[in-house]
Amino acid sequence: MMTPDSARLVTALDRSLVEGVSFTQEPAEQVTLTQAGRIARLLGHASRRQAHHDRDMQGRALLDRGAALLAQPAAHDLPPAPRPEQRFEVAEAVRERIAHRLDRMMQALAECEGQAVTEWRDAVFDWECETLDSLAAPVDSALSHEKPIRFDCDTLQSYFRRTVAGGENIVVTSARRLSGGYGRATVLIEFAEPVLGECELVMRAQLPDAVVVFDGIDIQAEYQVFSLAHAAGIPAPEPFILETGDNETGTKFIVVRKMPGSNYGSVFEATHDLSDQLIHNIVETLANIHRISLSDHHGIVNACHLAEWARDRTATDSIRRWLDMWQIFHDELDYPSPLLARGFRWLYDNIPQVDAPPSLMHSDYALGNVLIENDRISGVLDWEQTHLGDPAEEVSWLATNLRSKVTEETLVRIYGDITGDYVSQERLRFFDVFTAVKIMLCGVSAAAKFQAKDTLDGLFCELASFTMAPYARLIHETIERAEVVKKQRSPA
């Protein structure tokens, strides 16, 4: 049987072939690519459907075990188990009903102890993780070939010639989309002669199929946050253009100065050695972001979503607001999950009490979103989910990102020496759980969009593959670690 990873690879290949058909104008190439896509689909469909059938039978067995633990009669009103040859949507509908019931049983047994309950609960978590492994399989509807957004040289050249004063002779020599990004397309644009004083500019373009979309946190807000960070002395790209109207590219975007430096890792791990001086500067730059005074930049703040956040009096208020936004996002995804439900219940029951005013959060401060030059941070990128909150949120994430290079204890000490806020273990462990919930939700959203053909982007398949099941397991593990800390810190 094909493994979930190989099935996902076949699916991504299928999408890439379809995308190739949409770009080529040669009839022979279109025929070849279309035939190759059909072969890819045939290779993947049978194995994926058999996996859904197996997960269904395991879920029903868990319902029977849960009913026995609750001394309830076994449920017999579920529809028949989907046959392997049935469509994906049929299997998914039944899985959702099973997951809803397992979650209700999980809540009913929340206060129960004993080996049988623990083994059943662990089996439910394992079942969900195995189910997530196959969630990136496609539905059986037709793919859309529409490609409305354009970043080619001719399109961008036309835009700049039309909008830049005296730019009738602007020549775009290169337009290259950079790797990464699940909510924005980042395009490096090179010119034959300087434009706006630069030979290279960077475009951040809004995509219709972003993984996470929150009201008010759009490309216009990101432009204002770039302006805020740059004005506050943070090494953030200086914004030049905000385009929100109809234009040649087919989307809204901002254009910013290209920052010097290189990535030393991804948002998940470090790939280069980090000197003590660089580690200190990484933490110091984060502290400087947290110390930005919104009241010193009143005009910029009032022009974006931060004006609403600025109403919060304490960091705890902002934590609750941020948690509410992710809960609403989960509700809108309509993806029943015992693990996510447990994660959100735990988070709401354990919101830390932080009476200090909230700080500005970059929201994804890690090596994949900073540039480094001469052993210092030379650029902080990707401010698309900026909000206010507790600095512990970003200290927790940075400690995870740098775990192979520096201990969490050292990062907490450096941050505390700079700011006076020595972040507690309780706050760190809370945000470990919150991060696991958020990343799993991002994976579920990516998988849902990939299934529904809202995107042809193979990055979404990749994101679903390396986040859903691993971070589902991590929700359980981080809650257990947080509970240990609570017990250690509570009075005997």
Side-chain angles (χ1 to χ4, degrees):
M1 179 181 292
M2 187 177 293
T3 67
D5 282 344
S6 58
R8 250 184 233 107
L9 178 62
V10 168
T11 302
L13 172 63
D14 179 21
R15 300 297 172 82
S16 298
L17 291 168
V18 171
E19 188 170 11
V21 171
S22 71
F23 276 104
T24 183
Q25 301 300 316
E26 294 295 330
E29 291 182 5
Q30 289 182 338
V31 170
T32 301
L33 290 170
T34 300
Q35 289 175 339
R38 288 172 182 164
I39 294 171
R41 286 191 291 279
L42 287 172
L43 285 171
H45 274 21
S47 180
R48 284 191 293 267
R49 289 172 176 169
Q50 183 63 51
H52 291 310
H53 175 78
D54 294 344
R55 296 293 86 76
D56 179 275
M57 300 306 295
Q58 292 168 8
R60 290 167 190 264
L62 287 169
L63 287 175
D64 290 342
R65 286 174 60 184
L69 290 170
L70 291 165
Q72 296 176 349
H76 296 290
D77 59 337
L78 287 171
R83 299 183 304 277
E85 66 270 16
Q86 286 184 295
R87 291 167 63 91
F88 168 80
E89 294 95 325
V90 176
E92 178 61 12
V94 178
R95 185 211 64 81
E96 289 181 359
R97 293 181 64 174
I98 292 173
H100 273 304
R101 294 190 181 192
L102 288 173
D103 180 45
R104 288 199 297 269
M105 288 180 172
M106 190 92 60
Q107 294 182 55
L109 291 167
E111 303 302 323
C112 298
E113 298 181 357
Q115 183 175 352
V117 173
T118 300
E119 290 178 352
W120 175 81
R121 185 182 295 121
D122 289 344
V124 171
F125 294 153
D126 289 341
W127 171 81
E128 181 169 5
C129 291
E130 291 170 3
T131 302
L132 288 166
D133 270 335
S134 58
L135 185 62
V139 297
D140 299 318
S141 56
L143 287 169
S144 168
H145 289 213
E146 185 178 7
K147 298 290 290 183
I149 299 177
R150 301 182 59 190
F151 302 124
D152 58 276
C153 291
D154 290 343
T155 297
L156 297 176
Q157 182 170 285
S158 175
Y159 172 80
F160 283 108
R161 286 184 175 183
R162 179 177 61 83
T163 59
V164 174
E168 296 83 1
N169 297 317
I170 287 176
V171 176
V172 174
T173 58
S174 173
R176 177 167 56 92
R177 184 171 174 179
L178 304 180
S179 61
Y182 302 102
R184 303 279 191 267
T186 303
V187 182
L188 176 61
I189 308 168
E190 298 178 0
F191 302 91
E193 300 291 339
V195 173
L196 302 174
E198 306 287 331
C199 286
E200 294 180 313
L201 293 172
V202 173
M203 171 185 286
R204 293 270 294 164
Q206 191 162 301
L207 297 175
D209 51 7
V211 170
V212 181
V213 179
F214 291 130
D215 288 342
I217 306 183
D218 55 13
I219 201 74
Q220 187 167 349
E222 189 175 2
Y223 177 89
Q224 300 298 338
V225 173
F226 272 125
S227 301
L228 171 64
H230 184 73
I234 303 299
E238 180 182 1
F240 291 132
I241 296 172
L242 169 62
E243 178 58 74
T244 60
D246 293 336
N247 65 83
E248 290 84 343
T249 69
T251 189
K252 301 175 182 178
F253 60 83
I254 57 180
V255 176
V256 301
R257 184 190 303 276
K258 179 180 179 292
M259 303 296 286
S262 305
N263 280 128
Y264 274 36
S266 69
V267 294
F268 294 104
E269 62 181 351
T271 57
H272 290 59
D273 290 334
L274 308 177
S275 68
D276 291 344
Q277 175 182 320
L278 177 56
I279 290 171
H280 189 280
N281 184 250
I282 290 171
V283 179
E284 182 181 33
T285 302
L286 177 62
N288 289 339
I289 293 171
H290 294 166
R291 292 190 293 194
I292 292 176
S293 172
L294 299 189
S295 60
D296 291 343
H297 306 277
H298 195 67
I300 296 175
V301 170
N302 283 343
C304 67
H305 66 294
L306 293 178
E308 185 65 27
W309 286 88
R311 299 172 184 266
D312 295 341
R313 299 183 62 184
T314 69
T316 295
D317 294 335
S318 293
I319 295 170
R320 186 172 288 106
R321 183 193 293 270
W322 192 223
L323 183 56
D324 287 345
M325 291 174 71
W326 283 94
Q327 176 69 75
I328 292 169
F329 177 60
H330 176 220
D331 294 342
E332 291 173 347
L333 282 176
D334 194 25
Y335 177 77
S337 161
L339 274 167
L340 283 171
R342 184 193 183 205
F344 275 111
R345 284 194 296 270
W346 188 92
L347 288 169
Y348 276 109
D349 288 343
N350 291 276
I351 295 175
Q353 186 61 43
V354 185
D355 295 329
S359 301
L360 181 67
M361 301 285 104
H362 174 277
S363 195
D364 199 6
Y365 187 84
L367 288 179
N369 285 328
V370 300
L371 297 174
I372 294 169
E373 187 176 64
N374 298 325
D375 230 21
R376 296 181 61 82
I377 297 289
S378 57
V380 182
L381 314 175
D382 295 4
W383 297 72
E384 61 195 72
Q385 287 191 25
T386 308
H387 61 284
L388 300 191
D390 178 7
E393 175 181 349
E394 304 209 281
V395 175
S396 163
W397 181 229
L398 184 61
T400 299
N401 184 239
L402 302 183
R403 62 190 178 278
S404 65
K405 304 298 181 183
V406 61
T407 66
E408 178 183 88
E409 181 182 10
T410 298
L411 286 183
V412 169
R413 177 182 55 77
I414 296 172
Y415 186 85
D417 289 347
I418 295 170
T419 66
D421 181 7
Y422 294 90
V423 179
S424 69
Q425 281 290 306
E426 290 90 341
R427 288 160 66 195
L428 290 170
R429 300 292 76 83
F430 173 87
F431 285 107
D432 287 349
V433 179
F434 199 169
T435 295
V437 168
K438 290 189 298 181
I439 294 179
M440 180 182 169
L441 274 173
C442 289
V444 170
S445 174
K449 290 178 179 294
F450 195 67
Q451 288 172 340
K453 308 300 189 294
D454 287 344
T455 176
L456 291 168
D457 197 336
L459 282 174
F460 281 60
C461 180
E462 178 189 20
L463 178 65
S465 190
F466 68 73
T467 59
M468 288 192 300
Y471 279 88
R473 293 185 176 92
L474 199 59
I475 291 173
H476 178 57
E477 294 170 5
T478 52
I479 288 176
E480 295 301 309
R481 286 200 292 268
E483 286 296 318
V484 169
V485 170
K486 282 175 60 179
K487 291 177 182 178
Q488 291 174 341
R489 302 301 173 96
S490 61

